[in-house]
Amino acid sequence: MQKYLLVLLLALPHLAYAQQQLFYIGRFKSDEAKTLASMRAIPGIPEKERKAYEKDFFGRLVNDIRSDSFTTYFANDVPASPVFIPAQIQLVSGDTIRMRYYHEYRKEFVERELTFKDGCYTVPVGPWGFEEFFCKLP
């Protein structure tokens, strides 16, 4: 009995760490309402770009993140066999991960940090600095 208790006590920190990482694993869909609110709060975006973004531009992209890879597709065009891009994903802090992957079209490695809050993360859009929100799907 004491052996089992000792094994359990030794395993708990590892289990807690694994559970902590789970927050970023899953499918995250672009949230149009949150993204447009972020855009509208930023002054100086040219009217032409603003109108283009407001016409059903956001809210369709899905990012599916695994522990060692990710894929991206449009919600209305889910691939039968999605192709996952290998990535090094590491926890930077309690709510931030760093993803490093090879970008096939740019022919270079890309590194991104994603900070999660309330089941969503954001990525900057264009030179204006507003955020596109991606929120976890059930």
Coordinates of all heavy atoms in Angstrom, one line a residue, residues 52-86:
A52 N -13.8 45.9 -46.0 CA -13.5 44.5 -46.5 C -13.5 43.5 -45.3 O -14.0 42.4 -45.5 CB -12.1 44.5 -47.2
Y53 N -12.9 43.9 -44.2 CA -12.9 43.1 -43.0 C -14.3 42.8 -42.5 O -14.6 41.7 -41.9 CB -12.0 43.6 -41.9 CG -10.5 43.5 -42.2 CD1 -9.7 44.5 -42.0 CD2 -10.0 42.3 -42.7 CE1 -8.3 44.4 -42.2 CE2 -8.6 42.2 -42.9 CZ -7.8 43.2 -42.6 OH -6.4 43.1 -42.9
E54 N -15.2 43.8 -42.6 CA -16.5 43.7 -42.0 C -17.4 42.8 -42.9 O -18.5 42.4 -42.5 CB -17.2 45.0 -41.8 CG -16.5 45.8 -40.7 CD -17.0 47.2 -40.5 OE1 -17.6 47.8 -41.5 OE2 -16.9 47.7 -39.4
K55 N -17.0 42.5 -44.1 CA -17.9 41.7 -45.0 C -17.5 40.2 -44.9 O -16.9 39.6 -45.8 CB -17.7 42.2 -46.5 CG -18.4 43.5 -46.7 CD -18.3 43.8 -48.2 CE -19.0 45.1 -48.4 NZ -19.0 45.5 -49.9
D56 N -17.9 39.5 -43.9 CA -17.8 38.1 -43.7 C -16.4 37.6 -43.9 O -16.1 36.6 -44.4 CB -18.7 37.4 -44.7 CG -19.0 36.0 -44.3 OD1 -19.0 35.7 -43.1 OD2 -19.3 35.1 -45.2
F57 N -15.4 38.4 -43.4 CA -14.0 38.0 -43.6 C -13.6 37.2 -42.4 O -12.9 36.2 -42.6 CB -13.1 39.3 -43.6 CG -11.7 39.0 -43.9 CD1 -11.2 38.9 -45.2 CD2 -10.8 38.9 -42.8 CE1 -9.9 38.7 -45.4 CE2 -9.4 38.7 -43.1 CZ -9.0 38.5 -44.4
F58 N -14.0 37.5 -41.2 CA -13.6 36.8 -40.0 C -14.7 35.8 -39.6 O -15.8 35.8 -40.1 CB -13.3 37.7 -38.8 CG -12.2 38.6 -39.1 CD1 -12.4 40.0 -39.3 CD2 -10.9 38.2 -39.1 CE1 -11.3 40.9 -39.5 CE2 -9.8 39.0 -39.3 CZ -10.0 40.4 -39.6
G59 N -14.3 34.9 -38.7 CA -15.3 33.9 -38.2 C -15.4 32.6 -38.9 O -16.3 31.8 -38.6
R60 N -14.5 32.4 -39.9 CA -14.6 31.1 -40.6 C -13.4 30.2 -40.5 O -13.5 29.0 -40.7 CB -14.8 31.4 -42.1 CG -16.0 32.3 -42.4 CD -16.2 32.6 -43.8 NE -15.0 33.2 -44.4 CZ -14.7 33.0 -45.7 NH1 -15.5 32.4 -46.5 NH2 -13.6 33.6 -46.2
L61 N -12.3 30.7 -40.1 CA -11.0 30.0 -40.0 C -11.0 29.1 -38.7 O -11.3 29.6 -37.7 CB -9.8 30.9 -40.1 CG -8.5 30.3 -40.4 CD1 -8.5 29.7 -41.8 CD2 -7.4 31.4 -40.3
V62 N -10.5 27.9 -38.8 CA -10.4 27.0 -37.7 C -8.9 26.6 -37.6 O -8.3 26.2 -38.6 CB -11.3 25.7 -37.8 CG1 -11.0 24.8 -36.7 CG2 -12.7 26.1 -37.9
N63 N -8.4 26.6 -36.4 CA -7.0 26.1 -36.2 C -7.2 24.9 -35.2 O -7.7 25.1 -34.1 CB -6.1 27.2 -35.5 CG -5.8 28.3 -36.5 OD1 -5.6 28.1 -37.6 ND2 -5.8 29.5 -36.0
D64 N -6.6 23.8 -35.6 CA -6.7 22.6 -34.8 C -5.3 22.3 -34.3 O -4.4 22.1 -35.1 CB -7.2 21.4 -35.7 CG -7.5 20.2 -34.9 OD1 -7.1 20.0 -33.7 OD2 -8.2 19.3 -35.5
I65 N -5.1 22.5 -33.0 CA -3.8 22.4 -32.4 C -3.7 21.1 -31.6 O -4.5 20.7 -30.8 CB -3.5 23.6 -31.5 CG1 -3.7 24.9 -32.2 CG2 -2.1 23.4 -30.8 CD1 -3.6 26.1 -31.3
R66 N -2.6 20.3 -31.9 CA -2.3 19.1 -31.1 C -1.0 19.4 -30.3 O -0.5 20.5 -30.4 CB -2.0 17.9 -32.1 CG -3.3 17.5 -32.8 CD -3.0 16.4 -33.7 NE -4.2 15.9 -34.4 CZ -4.3 14.9 -35.2 NH1 -3.1 14.3 -35.6 NH2 -5.4 14.5 -35.8
S67 N -0.5 18.4 -29.6 CA 0.7 18.7 -28.8 C 1.9 18.8 -29.6 O 2.9 19.4 -29.1 CB 0.9 17.5 -27.8 OG 1.1 16.3 -28.5
D68 N 1.9 18.4 -30.8 CA 3.2 18.4 -31.6 C 2.9 18.9 -33.1 O 3.8 18.8 -33.9 CB 3.9 17.1 -31.6 CG 3.0 16.0 -32.3 OD1 1.8 16.3 -32.6 OD2 3.5 14.9 -32.4
S69 N 1.7 19.4 -33.4 CA 1.4 19.8 -34.7 C 0.1 20.6 -34.8 O -0.6 20.7 -33.7 CB 1.2 18.6 -35.6 OG 0.2 17.7 -35.1
F70 N -0.2 21.2 -35.9 CA -1.4 21.9 -36.1 C -1.8 21.9 -37.5 O -1.1 21.6 -38.4 CB -1.3 23.4 -35.6 CG -0.4 24.2 -36.5 CD1 -1.0 25.0 -37.5 CD2 1.0 24.2 -36.4 CE1 -0.2 25.8 -38.4 CE2 1.8 24.9 -37.3 CZ 1.2 25.7 -38.2
T71 N -3.1 22.3 -37.8 CA -3.6 22.4 -39.1 C -4.6 23.6 -39.1 O -5.2 23.9 -38.1 CB -4.2 21.1 -39.7 OG1 -4.5 21.3 -41.1 CG2 -5.5 20.8 -39.0
T72 N -4.9 24.1 -40.3 CA -5.8 25.2 -40.4 C -6.7 24.9 -41.6 O -6.3 24.4 -42.6 CB -5.0 26.5 -40.7 OG1 -4.2 26.8 -39.6 CG2 -6.0 27.7 -40.8
Y73 N -8.0 25.2 -41.5 CA -9.0 25.0 -42.5 C -10.1 26.0 -42.3 O -10.3 26.5 -41.2 CB -9.4 23.6 -42.6 CG -9.9 23.0 -41.4 CD1 -11.3 23.1 -41.0 CD2 -9.1 22.3 -40.5 CE1 -11.8 22.6 -39.9 CE2 -9.6 21.8 -39.3 CZ -10.9 21.9 -39.0 OH -11.4 21.4 -37.8
F74 N -11.0 26.1 -43.3 CA -12.2 26.9 -43.2 C -13.3 26.0 -42.6 O -13.4 24.8 -43.0 CB -12.6 27.5 -44.5 CG -11.7 28.6 -44.9 CD1 -10.8 28.5 -46.0 CD2 -11.8 29.9 -44.3 CE1 -10.0 29.5 -46.3 CE2 -11.0 30.9 -44.7 CZ -10.1 30.7 -45.7
A75 N -14.1 26.5 -41.7 CA -15.2 25.8 -41.0 C -16.1 25.1 -42.0 O -16.7 24.1 -41.7 CB -15.9 26.7 -40.0
N76 N -16.4 25.8 -43.1 CA -17.3 25.2 -44.1 C -16.7 24.3 -45.1 O -17.3 23.8 -46.0 CB -18.1 26.4 -44.9 CG -17.1 27.2 -45.7 OD1 -15.9 27.2 -45.5 ND2 -17.6 28.0 -46.6
D77 N -15.4 24.0 -44.9 CA -14.7 23.1 -45.8 C -13.7 22.2 -45.0 O -12.5 22.3 -45.2 CB -13.9 24.0 -46.8 CG -13.3 23.1 -47.9 OD1 -13.8 22.0 -48.2 OD2 -12.4 23.6 -48.6
V78 N -14.3 21.4 -44.1 CA -13.5 20.6 -43.2 C -12.9 19.4 -44.1 O -13.6 18.7 -44.7 CB -14.3 20.0 -42.1 CG1 -13.5 19.1 -41.2 CG2 -15.0 21.1 -41.3
P79 N -11.5 19.3 -44.1 CA -10.9 18.3 -44.9 C -11.2 16.9 -44.3 O -11.2 16.7 -43.1 CB -9.4 18.6 -44.8 CG -9.3 19.5 -43.6 CD -10.6 20.1 -43.4
A80 N -11.4 15.9 -45.2 CA -11.6 14.5 -44.8 C -10.4 14.0 -44.1 O -10.5 13.3 -43.1 CB -12.0 13.7 -46.0
S81 N -9.2 14.3 -44.6 CA -7.9 13.9 -44.0 C -7.0 15.1 -43.9 O -6.2 15.4 -44.7 CB -7.2 12.9 -44.9 OG -8.0 11.7 -45.0
P82 N -7.2 15.9 -42.8 CA -6.4 17.1 -42.6 C -4.9 16.8 -42.6 O -4.5 15.8 -42.0 CB -6.9 17.7 -41.3 CG -7.6 16.6 -40.6 CD -8.0 15.6 -41.6
V83 N -4.1 17.7 -43.1 CA -2.6 17.6 -43.1 C -2.1 18.4 -41.9 O -2.3 19.7 -41.9 CB -2.0 18.0 -44.4 CG1 -0.5 18.0 -44.3 CG2 -2.5 17.2 -45.5
F84 N -1.5 17.8 -41.0 CA -1.0 18.5 -39.8 C 0.5 18.9 -40.0 O 1.2 18.1 -40.5 CB -1.1 17.7 -38.5 CG -2.5 17.7 -38.0 CD1 -3.5 16.9 -38.5 CD2 -2.8 18.6 -36.9 CE1 -4.8 16.9 -38.0 CE2 -4.1 18.6 -36.4 CZ -5.1 17.8 -36.9
I85 N 0.8 20.1 -39.7 CA 2.2 20.7 -39.8 C 2.9 20.4 -38.5 O 2.4 20.8 -37.5 CB 2.1 22.2 -40.1 CG1 1.4 22.4 -41.5 CG2 3.5 22.7 -40.1 CD1 1.0 23.9 -41.7
P86 N 4.0 19.7 -38.6 CA 4.8 19.4 -37.4 C 5.2 20.8 -36.7 O 5.6 21.7 -37.4 CB 6.0 18.7 -37.9 CG 5.6 18.1 -39.2 CD 4.7 19.1 -39.8

